[in-house]
Amino acid sequence: MDLHFGDSKPTDDERAAVDALLGPPESSWEGADRSDADLRWARGGREARDRRDLLLPGLHAINDRIGWISEGALDYLCRRLTVPPAEAYGVATFYAMFSVKPRPATVLHVCTDLACAAAGASELCAGIEASLGPGVHVERSPCLGLCERAPAALAIKAGDPVRTAVSAPATVHDAVLAASTPDSAPEEPSAAMAVPQAGGDELVLLKRVGVVDPTSLDDYRAHGGYTALRRAFELGPAGVIREVTDSGLVGRGGAAFPTGRKWQATASQPDHPHYLVCNADESEPGTFKDRVIMEGDPYALVEAMTIAAYATGAHKGYLYLRGEYPRALHRLEHAIAQARARGFLGEDVLGQGYAFDIEIRRGAGAYICGEETALFNSIEGYRGEPRSKPPFPVEKGLFGKPTVENNVETLVNVLPILTMGAPAYAAIGTAKSTGPKLFCVSGSVARPGIYELPFGATLGELLELAGVRDRLRAVLLGGAAGGFVRADELDIPLTFEGTREAGTTLGSGVVMAFDDTVPLPRLLLRIAEFFRDESCGQCVPCRVGTVRQEEALHRIAERTGAAAADDIALLREVGRAMRDASICGLGQTAWNAVESAIDRLGAYE
């Protein structure tokens, strides 16, 4: 396309989609049907720049209504936001869920990632493509976050309103039905179906999932909801941070940074405003814990975000949600609206004179946006590419202001810290890994789902709960960015320090079991394909290294021993370069799983 304002015009539907978000245009410069007289001036400067962050919602509005983003629609959105078309085109093409080429209004995303691949995703795709007509576009997708019900498919039918349907575990018949008539597709199972321990007295973080009505604020309050927020107002911001620090809570997204230190560093910054960002873009293959919380206990996240914002001096929170989570989106939109209507969000939260509100921003299919600074760029309307550090987000984060960023699981841990007290919380788990932890178990197990255990339980104990099948060959810890362990290493304690000593990683809590029916070389190749697809391309070590890694694995897929030695040596060299020189964690961890499979499992011997 021509990367400047051209002659292409938006259709009436495209114009309506943008205007529904931004309001009607006020000048011919913005696309209004008026005389050319006002083309001699245009709004610009700060006012225009302040609207740049509406670019991603605008792209969603067009894609939701039409199914793809035409040149005319993109030009119209650019005029409305005063964004250069070349930059907007770069943003639109960055995300997997958008298309700038014509396609049918219905897109069926079929997961072909690790858990679904092991459950027969290739055969499912072949059957769907043979059964569907030309009116549906079938997209082979990375992880949809439905690993406990693999294989999975997500149908999105553009229109006003956009309609979605999930088929999981998917059959050819059910997936075709979901794509053809989303409104007639069977209703999704409740979030409690993903929690084998649902209703158990031992649960802390998951105690309400399957017990309360996730759409009812009153039911949430009847089961202890908003007790923690009232306690926070009694303690004051400094007191809340002290409790969180004393609890030993560390980030649950994989980096394990002390949460109290992050909050204190943000709260102490003199620059204002401060922002809170909840990272709900869990895209790591095998991870689905945040989805279950958001679908089964959405008010808990709203309350936890309010507490975090109060402690750090933020009055605006952004919840960055995976675009592949339509039910979580609806649940959270409802929960935020109800909380706002009842005085739990808004200008005067609980009559305490504290103002806070939450805005949901949808991702659009980019694993790299799980990295905090890439997420900030995405919200601001730029390509989701990581920033160099320093400065760190606590100093200059979202919109260049001090920002605290935590994922869903980290935030909901704050609720029991305040209700039971820091000493009682710290008594759970181990001295260095305190509290309960959520584990996403999938693959070759009888009862896949989310399990809550105190830190310190062993891998074998977790797999016993999940009903590990016979002939276990390997377990992948931490997802695609993690590492494999052997079937005889199940005594590894599930703590940050225990997995580190064992030469692997806990990551975000992914535990994927594979028996000897799963072809390991094909699994490794899928991991390499995933990183090649998801690399943002900003830095050379990752952009080139992920491609070279995939190429080498293709060459040695059918070879073993000496025939594969040269390519294995090349893999090690490329892996070291990515680990040492990549800007962010994607490139730094892209070699981990392959390395562990070679060294621990003898994948190509």
Side-chain angles (χ1 to χ4, degrees):
M1 66 175 286
D2 207 7
L3 297 183
H4 55 74
F5 290 124
D7 297 327
S8 300
K9 302 296 183 184
T11 66
D12 290 343
D13 275 348
E14 290 168 340
R15 183 186 291 268
V18 175
D19 291 350
L21 174 72
L22 302 178
E26 297 182 6
S27 70
S28 296
W29 178 262
E30 291 186 352
D33 295 325
R34 299 182 183 179
S35 69
D36 291 338
D38 61 355
L39 279 177
R40 298 182 61 183
W41 62 272
R43 291 180 184 161
R46 184 180 299 277
E47 184 177 354
R49 289 193 296 273
D50 285 348
R51 289 160 57 89
R52 173 69 185 248
D53 70 294
L54 294 176
L55 178 59
L56 183 57
L59 294 172
H60 268 298
I62 298 167
N63 200 72
D64 285 350
R65 181 79 67 97
I66 311 300
W68 67 288
I69 300 166
S70 71
E71 182 178 340
L74 189 64
D75 269 3
Y76 181 63
L77 179 61
C78 289
R79 285 189 182 276
R80 296 299 316 276
L81 296 178
T82 323
V83 173
E87 292 186 22
Y89 182 81
V91 173
T93 54
F94 185 82
Y95 297 97
M97 296 184 74
F98 297 149
S99 174
V100 294
K101 296 179 180 178
R103 66 180 180 185
T106 301
V107 178
L108 182 64
H109 299 268
V110 182
C111 178
T112 58
D113 231 314
L114 304 179
C116 290
S122 295
E123 295 79 4
L124 176 65
C125 281
I128 290 171
E129 289 169 340
S131 303
L132 277 172
V136 177
H137 174 71
V138 179
E139 186 83 26
R140 294 172 187 261
S141 169
C143 185
L144 294 174
L146 294 161
C147 314
E148 83 281 12
R149 308 202 306 268
L154 167 65
I156 303 176
K157 187 170 186 177
D160 185 21
V162 62
R163 287 173 289 171
T164 62
V166 168
S167 177
T171 63
V172 172
H173 174 270
D174 289 347
V176 169
L177 179 64
S180 305
T181 54
D183 293 335
S184 303
E187 187 176 352
E188 276 193 80
S190 70
M193 296 298 292
V195 183
Q197 302 164 297
D201 293 336
E202 76 281 6
L203 298 179
V204 177
L205 304 178
L206 300 176
K207 64 181 180 181
R208 280 184 290 262
V209 176
V211 176
V212 304
D213 177 358
T215 66
S216 172
L217 176 56
D218 289 332
D219 202 11
Y220 175 70
R221 294 180 65 193
H223 287 82
Y226 283 100
T227 303
L229 180 58
R230 294 183 187 280
R231 174 66 175 152
F233 283 132
E234 292 173 4
L235 292 170
V240 173
I241 292 175
R242 184 168 56 251
E243 285 288 295
V244 172
T245 302
D246 292 346
S247 73
L249 175 66
V250 299
R252 301 299 201 242
F257 189 84
T259 304
R261 283 176 54 192
K262 181 185 287 190
W263 288 17
Q264 180 60 54
T266 306
S268 63
Q269 294 296 319
D271 194 14
H272 285 275
H274 295 179
Y275 290 104
L276 169 73
V277 174
C278 173
N279 184 347
D281 190 55
E282 58 170 3
S283 305
E284 185 71 47
T287 310
F288 49 98
K289 56 187 173 60
D290 291 351
R291 171 183 64 81
V292 171
I293 292 172
M294 291 185 289
E295 291 180 354
D297 198 11
Y299 288 102
L301 180 57
V302 175
E303 181 182 4
M305 287 183 67
T306 308
I307 293 169
Y310 173 67
T312 56
H315 297 283
K316 180 68 178 286
Y318 288 89
L319 199 166
Y320 190 90
L321 178 66
R322 276 199 80 181
E324 296 90 341
Y325 284 177
R327 183 159 71 171
L329 173 65
H330 297 148
R331 291 276 168 84
L332 286 164
E333 286 178 335
H334 176 78
I336 290 170
Q338 288 298 304
R340 190 180 293 128
R342 300 276 290 275
F344 294 96
L345 288 175
E347 292 299 320
D348 187 13
V349 176
L350 288 180
Q352 297 293 318
Y354 168 67
F356 177 67
D357 213 335
I358 297 172
E359 182 176 342
I360 297 176
R361 289 296 175 92
R362 293 160 58 199
Y367 171 75
I368 189 61
C369 288
E371 197 277 337
E372 59 184 0
T373 60
L375 188 157
F376 299 156
N377 277 340
S378 181
I379 291 176
E380 291 176 18
Y382 297 93
R383 289 168 60 90
E385 296 173 340
R387 305 172 185 173
S388 297
K389 303 174 188 176
F392 293 96
V394 297
E395 301 168 319
K396 290 188 179 296
L398 186 65
F399 304 119
K401 297 297 183 179
T403 304
V404 63
E405 180 268 353
N406 292 118
N407 75 346
V408 173
E409 185 188 355
T410 306
L411 286 167
V412 297
N413 268 273
V414 174
L415 304 182
I417 289 172
L418 294 185
T419 54
M420 69 172 58
Y425 179 92
I428 303 172
T430 67
K432 294 183 179 179
S433 297
T434 64
K437 178 75 183 82
L438 301 182
F439 297 96
C440 310
V441 184
S442 60
S444 303
V445 295
R447 294 176 293 279
I450 301 296
Y451 287 84
E452 180 184 317
L453 291 174
F455 275 115
T458 67
L459 177 58
E461 291 169 343
L462 173 60
L463 290 177
E464 185 177 352
L465 282 175
V468 66
R469 297 173 187 166
D470 295 334
R471 303 185 304 176
L472 180 68
R473 181 178 184 186
V475 179
L476 179 61
L477 292 179
F484 286 94
V485 298
R486 299 188 305 273
D488 61 356
E489 297 181 292
L490 302 187
D491 59 345
I492 295 175
L494 294 174
T495 62
F496 293 112
E497 66 275 13
T499 51
R500 197 160 43 240
E501 290 171 5
T504 183
T505 179
L506 191 62
S508 60
V510 175
V511 178
M512 304 183 78
F514 299 101
D515 59 27
D516 58 8
T517 64
V518 179
L520 191 57
R522 181 69 195 109
L523 207 64
L524 298 179
L525 188 55
R526 178 66 192 104
I527 291 172
E529 290 170 351
F530 173 80
F531 282 114
R532 183 256 299 153
D533 282 341
E534 298 295 342
S535 172
C536 74
Q538 180 180 197
C539 68
V540 172
C542 180
R543 181 176 70 242
V544 177
T546 52
V547 175
R548 295 293 173 260
Q549 177 172 265
E550 182 192 1
E551 290 172 346
L553 288 172
H554 269 294
R555 288 194 296 269
I556 64 178
E558 304 300 328
R559 301 186 309 195
T560 57
D566 288 346
D567 276 316
I568 290 175
L570 175 63
L571 280 170
R572 294 189 188 281
E573 183 179 350
V574 169
R576 283 194 298 269
M578 288 194 291
R579 183 174 294 163
D580 293 343
S582 295
I583 288 176
C584 79
L586 188 151
Q588 293 162 10
T589 60
W591 155 243
N592 285 0
V594 178
E595 179 184 36
S596 64
I598 293 171
D599 292 342
R600 299 180 92 121
L601 306 180
Y604 297 106
E605 292 179 356

